[in-house]
Amino acid sequence: MGLKTSEKPLLERLKDSEKDVFMQKAVAKAQDAQWEKREGARDELGNWEQWRELGEQIRQHTIAYLPDYLEQFSDNVAKQGGKVFFAQTAQEAQDYVKRLIIEKQIKKVVKSKSMVTTEVDIDPMLLDLEGVNVMETDLAEFILQMDDWDEPSHIVFPSIHKNREQIRQVFEKKLGYKGDNEPVNLARCAREVMRKFFLEADMGITGCNFAVADSGIINLDTNEGNADLTISVPKTQVVLMGMERIVPTMKEAEVLDNLLARSAVGQTLTTYVTFAGKKAEDESDGPEDFHVVILDNGRSNALGTAFQSVLQCIRCGSCLNVCPVYRHIGGHGYGSIYPGPIGAVLSPVLGGYKQFGELPYASSLCGACTETCPVKIPLHELLIEHRRVMTNELGMQHGFDDFQMKVIGKGTSTPWMFKSAMTFAHAGSAPLSKKKNISVENMYDYGGYIDKGPGMVKGWTDVRDLPRPPKGSENFRSWYKNRQKAGDK
Amino acid sequence: MKVSIFSTCVVDLMFPDVGKAMVEVLERCGCETEFPDKQVCCGQPTYNSGYVDESIPAIRNQIDAFEGAEVVVGSAGSCVAMLREYPEIMKDDPIYYPKAVELANKTYEFSQFLYRVLGLKNVGASLDAKATYHRSCHMTRLLDEREAPFVMLDHVKGLEMVPLPHIENCCGFGGTFSVKMPEISEQMVTEKMNDVVDTGAEILISADMGCLMNIGGKLNREGKKIKIMHIAEVLNNQVDLARMDTPKINVKG
Amino acid sequence: MTELIQNREDFLKNLTEKLGIERQPVESHPFEPMNQLPHETLSGKTQDELLQVAKERVKKIHTNIVETKQADLEGIINELIGKWGNGKVLLPTDNRFKEVGLNQFDANDYANHSVDFDRAFWQKGADYREENIQTASEANVAVAFAEFLLAESGSIVVETHAGQGRSLHFLPTHYISIVPKSKIVPRSTQAADFYHEKRAKGETLGSAIHFISGPSNSGDIEMQLVVGLHGPIEVVYVVVEDL
């Protein structure tokens, strides 16, 4: 799957999303529920704005000195006897894990939820290896795996697009489950299946919420307990982390854990907040063999550019949860494993404009994402910046006719052109205008409305009616001028 | 106090009655008005589409148009927010940057000006109706004005305000987004329309005509009966001078 | 060390070039937080007030707090285990049991104290890996000490040591955490500070530190909360007032 989840063009994906009524309802319900939980958790903490500023400061500081912290972190992992592999590309990361599995003759791999492992396509590689079995152990990811590796659609709730009955059917078909569709019973079934596999697993693969530079340990935040089993039972552990996922000390990790839990799920802390590395000599469980793969895979494209702040992201998903576009098109609409506002900013940075150039346009720039981000990434401004780079720097044409935009640029800066456009607008729209069936009052008082417009107007009138503009002599500036002349004031 | 009217192009071109109402309310409050004829557009259509270079002439024109104004009052939260962004956009322009700062510091959205600058809550308006208010995203989040319109509407005699569900969600206008991504915009405006209809309100009010043109356009397309009003029109409705607050500052001075 | 770290130099060189900076030791740019909110939040409260905060919080995370005195601790724990049907009880090899008078859980002394359940101990040393994990997976209950109770989030903090592995906290079906009341702190900040300072002093830390807030859970199916997934299904904190 990798970064890109669909070969279909955006318009086709949007049509698919529009047809998926269950998904839309599920997402809307989730957004509404999360809104209350998240805002409640933030209000309860108090001083939310100052907490965000602190979160932003921690992330900005770490990214600004990223090479230094990565050096310190990797030294500390090595001091404990762990191994660190720096991977420039997804392929290098994947190959490293593959070599390790073959070398160690690994048979059973347990994975706890990690966006990065999806980004580097670990699962298909594992499935291709003969004699190797893999199990996703986050409940949502497990459900997707059982459903023939369906794509995730949210970075915190990957199976948000599925309902309980769909899940029951999958469990019945794949696991011989005989029970009803109550979530608790489905979850117990999954627990049993996964527990058995856990106890036999010889490798665990995890992501990383934060890597603690001064101690060489990994901070993981989960609710289900699967990550903790993944770092306890198997003898070998591989951590896959994006290179930006680092903090100076446990103290900063703790602040971010708090921001993350409240923003992602409206909790005070996630049920399990774990700091762990390679097991100590005298301890009996935990990884004897501990590997950390640090991944660039396009992240460094953001450094030193306006997009550097996108690396501040702590993957809380709250920008998805407030996004009115995500609300309707869902995760799959974006065609990237990183959907929503953060995905629309991050995906083009990682995968380029050729693959993801449309995503920055799939936003009304309402700014809800920027407002909610716990580390203050100016997401909607970065969407405009992507658009600017594509038009002004790269000269990429984009759907909207380049010529028309340039005409608008002229028109909106030159009073006489604007004025003549206004004069023509009324006359020019005469044949298109309708006066019948006006149900909305005080909107169409200057000659009705247009319901089938040409050119640029078509996009508007495909969806809703457009007021017919008043005559030039009736517009506001004419009124004001005439009033002055008449000596009214 | 002399107020320079920033009509915004949507009001100038499409909704002159909103501009008239704004002028009448301001003058009733004791302000003198003027309309700088050089003004055109704040530059958002091109700027937000990524045509940043092409938007610079519009921004310069707007800065020139309001140079020397005492205070600028605009009819739309979104366009006013754009004027407040000018210093950031023009930060590398040694000539226009200081002018942009000056303009940003003296520009207000209409209800914000009444409430925060003139210190008014009641301008004597009355309207016997049940209404709901659509909060525009840019006015709320970029201009950070979450209070003024609600306070002003609360003091309109006879007006019953009902809360709009999902008030935090965008209506799907988004300027060029509405024509460039109609597939997404339609779903957003449809949900907004349904929320408006569910309130049972007779009137939908907002401080941004862009949003109202979008939601109203969808309501009309679906044949839903409702009246659309800009907040200036509401505050200019059946005014009883005796009920008006006195401005906290000496506007004549 | 070099074989433990691969491809680092090229990787970091690319980053420094893009950032336009020179590499320098981290000591030259210590992080100085712009505010002290983590320390100010819930500061200045008494142990009783903190306990009250914790009691309110645990209601929201499906966990019970039982308050007791040291003298009644044994009875309370036996009662809880009995309520869960006895069975196999996993215990860390931990001197604190003896110190608080829970001789029945002391690895050297337990045989002299009869109880209604089977006791198994987390054995010290790497050789016991399989055995310990197997025992933990079969255990109905685990009982262990908390290093801290974080009032704000209702979390207990545990640290691994030779006698107390990681999976002791996750594989058993039920879990009892013994919390000395003196170990209640306002929030996660104090726990992070404690381990940060311990490390700074050069002391050895356990290889895993867990902040655990109640039983495992998931909202992955239609966002409906399911309590009890991979980890324990039920969790009780026993707060000992005179410890």
Side-chain angles (χ1 to χ4, degrees):
Chain A
M1 192 185 307
L3 188 59
K4 199 175 167 78
T5 59
S6 170
E7 291 306 319
K8 289 183 183 173
L10 179 68
L11 271 183
E12 236 175 273
R13 294 199 305 270
L14 293 181
K15 278 190 190 126
D16 290 346
S17 299
E18 207 176 340
K19 275 185 258 164
D20 195 347
V21 178
F22 170 77
M23 176 282 290
Q24 291 201 330
K25 276 196 183 143
V27 172
K29 192 176 143 198
Q31 282 196 337
D32 294 347
Q34 281 300 322
W35 191 283
E36 283 182 25
K37 284 186 75 180
R38 181 186 58 250
E39 298 309 314
R42 288 171 169 182
D43 288 351
E44 183 188 73
L45 186 60
N47 307 304
W48 177 245
E49 277 311 304
Q50 288 74 43
W51 279 98
R52 291 177 80 205
E53 283 165 13
L54 180 60
E56 176 190 35
Q57 188 204 7
I58 291 171
R59 295 300 293 142
Q60 281 183 345
H61 172 91
T62 317
I63 305 298
Y65 300 107
L66 190 58
D68 303 339
Y69 285 116
L70 285 173
E71 179 175 356
Q72 188 195 21
F73 171 72
S74 48
D75 281 346
N76 283 322
V77 172
K79 269 182 206 158
Q80 296 155 26
K83 301 182 186 71
V84 184
F85 181 81
F86 284 86
Q88 294 280 2
T89 63
Q91 193 62 48
E92 286 175 25
Q94 200 197 88
D95 290 346
Y96 180 82
V97 180
K98 188 174 177 177
R99 274 199 307 276
L100 192 65
I101 288 173
I102 294 169
E103 240 168 63
K104 302 200 68 139
Q105 300 182 314
I106 298 293
K107 297 273 176 287
K108 290 198 167 172
V109 181
V110 278
K111 286 184 64 205
S112 76
K113 183 176 171 301
S114 149
M115 298 302 296
V116 173
T117 59
T118 314
E119 182 185 328
V120 305
D121 256 344
I122 289 288
D123 290 328
M125 178 275 287
L126 292 173
L127 291 173
D128 276 353
L129 288 176
E130 209 160 310
V132 177
N133 284 300
V134 58
M135 188 169 279
E136 292 283 358
T137 60
D138 170 80
L139 180 57
E141 301 267 12
F142 175 79
I143 291 166
L144 297 180
Q145 177 181 356
M146 290 302 120
D147 196 14
D148 302 320
W149 301 93
D150 189 14
E151 305 157 30
S153 62
H154 189 289
I155 62 178
V156 175
F157 303 101
S159 63
I160 197 168
H161 57 291
K162 286 200 186 327
N163 67 19
R164 60 180 77 191
E165 182 52 25
Q166 290 168 321
I167 297 165
R168 189 199 63 78
Q169 286 169 13
V170 169
F171 280 16
E172 182 180 23
K173 195 169 147 205
K174 297 290 166 70
L175 303 169
Y177 174 73
K178 297 270 187 290
D180 61 13
N181 62 13
E182 266 307 305
V184 65
N185 296 330
L186 293 165
R188 289 287 188 272
C189 161
R191 173 185 166 106
E192 230 170 88
V193 173
M194 288 192 268
R195 176 61 71 91
K196 192 163 170 286
F197 196 92
F198 257 121
L199 294 173
E200 293 163 356
D202 44 9
M203 178 187 271
I205 300 179
T206 70
C208 164
N209 288 99
F210 305 105
V212 184
D214 78 338
S215 45
I217 55 174
I218 303 295
N219 179 196
L220 288 167
D221 294 313
T222 62
N223 281 322
E224 297 182 358
N226 58 318
D228 290 278
L229 288 178
T230 307
I231 64 155
S232 301
V233 180
K235 282 187 178 169
T236 301
Q237 184 192 344
V238 182
V239 178
L240 275 132
M241 59 176 269
M243 65 175 197
E244 77 286 8
R245 225 118 281 290
I246 198 150
V247 286
T249 75
M250 209 169 150
K251 291 159 78 143
E252 291 78 39
E254 183 268 334
V255 173
L256 298 177
D257 289 333
N258 275 269
L259 298 182
L260 176 63
R262 289 185 197 259
S263 301
V265 278
Q267 289 172 297
T268 316
L269 282 179
T270 53
T271 305
Y272 299 104
V273 176
T274 295
F275 297 87
K278 186 175 184 288
K279 86 171 188 68
E281 281 296 315
D282 60 352
E283 293 176 355
S284 51
D285 67 348
E288 293 166 358
D289 194 12
F290 181 69
H291 301 257
V292 182
V293 178
I294 299 175
L295 181 71
D296 183 332
N297 201 32
R299 285 164 175 75
S300 59
N301 294 337
L303 294 176
T305 75
F307 300 107
Q308 185 164 319
S309 61
V310 78
L311 300 182
Q312 287 163 218
C313 177
I314 59 173
R315 303 287 188 271
C316 72
S318 68
C319 62
L320 280 65
N321 292 342
V322 300
C323 178
V325 171
Y326 180 86
R327 184 179 181 90
H328 293 287
I329 75 173
H332 294 172
Y334 290 83
S336 164
I337 58 158
Y338 298 111
I342 184 66
V345 176
L346 182 62
S347 306
V349 170
L350 299 181
Y353 292 119
K354 205 170 164 229
Q355 288 198 72
F356 297 110
E358 283 164 314
L359 293 187
Y361 293 92
S363 165
S364 64
L365 304 176
C366 78
C369 46
T370 304
E371 183 185 41
T372 200
C373 178
V375 291
K376 299 189 74 165
I377 305 172
L379 287 157
H380 78 279
E381 290 172 21
L382 295 179
L383 291 172
I384 299 176
E385 177 63 10
H386 270 314
R387 298 175 186 187
R388 188 193 68 79
V389 171
M390 282 188 274
T391 52
N392 284 162
E393 280 184 26
L394 304 174
M396 291 167 72
Q397 283 240 340
H398 232 275
F400 223 111
D401 188 4
D402 199 44
F403 173 74
Q404 272 180 315
M405 280 318 288
K406 285 180 177 152
V407 169
I408 293 176
K410 277 247 167 11
T412 53
S413 59
T414 321
W416 71 265
M417 273 185 74
F418 181 70
K419 279 181 226 166
S420 40
M422 289 200 309
T423 314
F424 283 123
H426 181 81
S429 59
L432 303 165
S433 300
K434 291 188 176 167
K435 291 183 185 173
K436 277 185 189 159
N437 302 325
I438 292 177
S439 66
V440 172
E441 199 185 329
N442 199 31
M443 175 126 282
Y444 306 108
D445 296 346
Y446 289 88
Y449 63 91
I450 301 160
D451 65 353
K452 281 192 187 69
M456 264 175 48
V457 177
K458 187 174 179 298
W460 181 276
T461 55
D462 278 352
V463 175
R464 58 318 245 168
D465 296 331
L466 182 73
R468 186 181 178 199
K471 289 179 200 148
S473 60
E474 290 172 336
N475 69 35
F476 174 70
R477 67 177 70 209
S478 304
W479 171 82
Y480 196 90
K481 218 178 273 174
N482 292 337
R483 182 168 170 268
Q484 268 178 323
K485 270 189 208 148
D488 188 11
K489 287 276 162 180
Chain B
M1 182 178 268
K2 189 167 194 174
V3 172
S4 295
I5 301 292
F6 166 31
S7 65
T8 76
C9 39
V10 168
V11 162
D12 193 2
L13 178 69
M14 309 284 263
F15 303 103
D17 297 344
V18 171
K20 293 175 200 171
M22 189 163 84
V23 169
E24 285 169 10
V25 172
L26 288 168
E27 289 179 354
R28 195 174 296 124
C29 295
C31 297
E32 201 185 321
T33 66
E34 63 146 5
F35 181 86
D37 202 45
K38 192 175 160 53
Q39 66 178 288
V40 180
C41 168
C42 65
Q44 271 196 87
T46 39
Y47 185 86
N48 286 350
S49 302
Y51 288 77
V52 173
D53 294 349
E54 287 78 358
S55 71
I56 300 301
I59 292 171
R60 287 200 186 124
N61 176 71
Q62 210 69 345
I63 292 173
D64 290 341
F66 292 106
E67 200 173 7
E70 188 183 347
V71 59
V72 178
V73 175
S75 71
S78 178
C79 310
V80 168
M82 182 66 183
L83 262 60
R84 297 265 185 102
E85 301 276 316
Y86 282 2
E88 179 58 28
I89 299 168
M90 305 303 281
K91 62 178 185 288
D92 297 326
D93 185 327
I95 296 166
Y96 276 88
Y97 173 73
K99 296 182 184 187
V101 172
E102 200 212 321
L103 177 57
N105 289 340
K106 66 184 180 192
T107 304
Y108 301 89
E109 182 276 330
F110 169 70
S111 65
Q112 182 178 50
F113 176 75
L114 296 178
Y115 179 59
R116 299 198 186 273
V117 180
L118 302 186
L120 299 171
K121 288 179 182 168
N122 192 336
V123 289
S126 59
L127 180 58
D128 269 321
K130 183 170 157 184
T132 194
Y133 182 81
H134 168 71
R135 202 179 78 162
S136 93
C137 300
H138 287 180
M139 178 143 161
T140 311
R141 300 194 177 107
L142 306 188
L143 197 58
D144 202 18
E145 181 53 75
R146 293 151 205 265
E147 202 181 324
F150 293 97
V151 176
M152 299 306 297
L153 290 174
D154 271 350
H155 290 81
V156 174
K157 195 180 162 195
L159 187 63
E160 182 199 344
M161 293 301 297
V162 278
L164 181 62
H166 304 118
I167 191 167
E168 66 279 357
N169 281 348
C170 172
C171 68
F173 174 57
T176 53
F177 171 79
S178 58
V179 281
K180 184 167 166 55
M181 290 275 174
E183 299 81 7
I184 306 174
S185 175
E186 174 164 29
Q187 299 181 58
M188 292 161 71
V189 73
T190 301
E191 188 182 12
K192 188 61 72 184
M193 171 186 73
N194 291 334
D195 282 337
V196 170
V197 170
D198 285 349
T199 64
E202 303 152 86
I203 302 177
L204 172 64
I205 305 169
S206 183
D208 273 85
M209 282 316 291
C211 308
L212 284 178
M213 191 164 75
N214 177 44
I215 309 169
K218 185 66 184 169
L219 284 158
N220 199 60
R221 175 66 55 91
E222 303 300 328
K224 311 278 183 199
K225 272 195 84 67
I226 199 158
K227 183 175 181 180
I228 298 293
M229 285 179 95
H230 185 274
I231 189 166
E233 295 175 293
V234 177
L235 298 183
N236 196 38
N237 197 66
Q238 292 179 344
V239 174
D240 174 3
L241 292 173
R243 283 180 44 248
M244 257 183 89
D245 290 346
T246 314
K248 288 222 177 79
I249 59 168
N250 182 6
V251 284
K252 307 275 186 203
Chain C
M1 196 95 115
T2 43
E3 76 271 20
L4 292 176
I5 302 173
Q6 294 180 51
N7 298 348
R8 183 165 78 178
E9 287 317 302
D10 284 350
F11 190 100
L12 296 188
K13 188 165 166 273
N14 174 42
L15 304 191
T16 47
E17 280 170 6
K18 290 204 165 123
L19 280 164
I21 55 165
E22 297 288 326
R23 268 160 73 183
Q24 43 187 327
V26 291
E27 294 75 23
S28 64
H29 48 71
F31 178 73
E32 317 254 353
M34 66 195 304
N35 63 49
Q36 292 302 318
L37 280 172
H39 291 93
E40 287 160 13
T41 305
L42 292 179
S43 64
K45 292 206 185 300
T46 64
Q47 289 311 101
D48 281 318
E49 288 168 334
L50 289 176
L51 176 59
Q52 213 43 51
V53 173
K55 280 164 77 177
E56 280 305 308
R57 170 60 55 187
V58 297
K59 287 180 194 162
K60 294 177 186 155
I61 56 170
H62 312 274
T63 303
N64 281 325
I65 283 186
V66 177
E67 290 166 82
T68 185
K69 295 216 167 15
Q70 196 181 330
D72 302 326
L73 184 56
E74 186 175 315
I76 293 274
I77 290 176
N78 289 348
E79 193 185 314
L80 282 169
I81 294 171
K83 194 189 81 183
W84 287 327
N86 289 315
K88 186 177 277 189
V89 175
L90 176 63
L91 302 152
T93 300
D94 191 330
N95 290 335
R96 281 177 289 186
F97 284 125
K98 197 169 187 75
E99 288 165 21
V100 305
L102 287 173
N103 295 324
Q104 59 171 2
F105 293 154
D106 182 71
N108 298 315
D109 192 23
Y110 75 101
N112 300 321
H113 307 269
S114 73
V115 289
D116 296 337
F117 41 83
D118 300 329
R119 285 159 292 185
F121 288 87
W122 188 273
Q123 316 255 35
K124 287 186 177 182
D127 293 345
Y128 294 99
R129 180 186 188 99
E130 274 74 27
E131 195 183 322
N132 282 334
I133 291 174
Q134 188 60 34
T135 309
S137 74
E138 291 161 3
N140 182 35
V141 185
V143 184
F145 282 91
E147 306 302 328
F148 298 102
L149 170 60
L150 315 177
E152 184 191 40
S153 54
S155 322
I156 50 144
V157 177
V158 291
E159 181 185 356
T160 51
H161 52 81
Q164 175 176 289
R166 303 179 182 194
S167 41
L168 178 141
H169 311 291
F170 307 109
L171 287 172
T173 314
H174 304 90
Y175 187 87
I176 297 171
S177 179
I178 303 172
V179 184
K181 188 171 163 189
S182 60
K183 295 287 185 145
I184 307 178
V185 295
R187 61 197 311 277
S188 44
T189 308
Q190 286 73 23
D193 282 357
F194 174 82
Y195 290 108
H196 182 77
E197 279 152 30
K198 196 170 166 186
R199 187 184 303 280
K201 280 187 267 177
E203 290 176 41
T204 314
L205 262 63
S207 74
I209 295 156
H210 308 276
F211 301 175
I212 301 173
S213 313
S216 66
N217 60 84
S218 172
D220 278 346
I221 302 176
E222 292 188 10
M223 300 194 67
Q224 182 173 316
L225 185 76
V226 169
V227 178
L229 198 66
H230 293 281
I233 287 173
E234 220 174 315
V235 171
V236 173
Y237 304 158
V238 180
V239 174
V240 189
E241 289 164 27
D242 45 354
L243 276 181

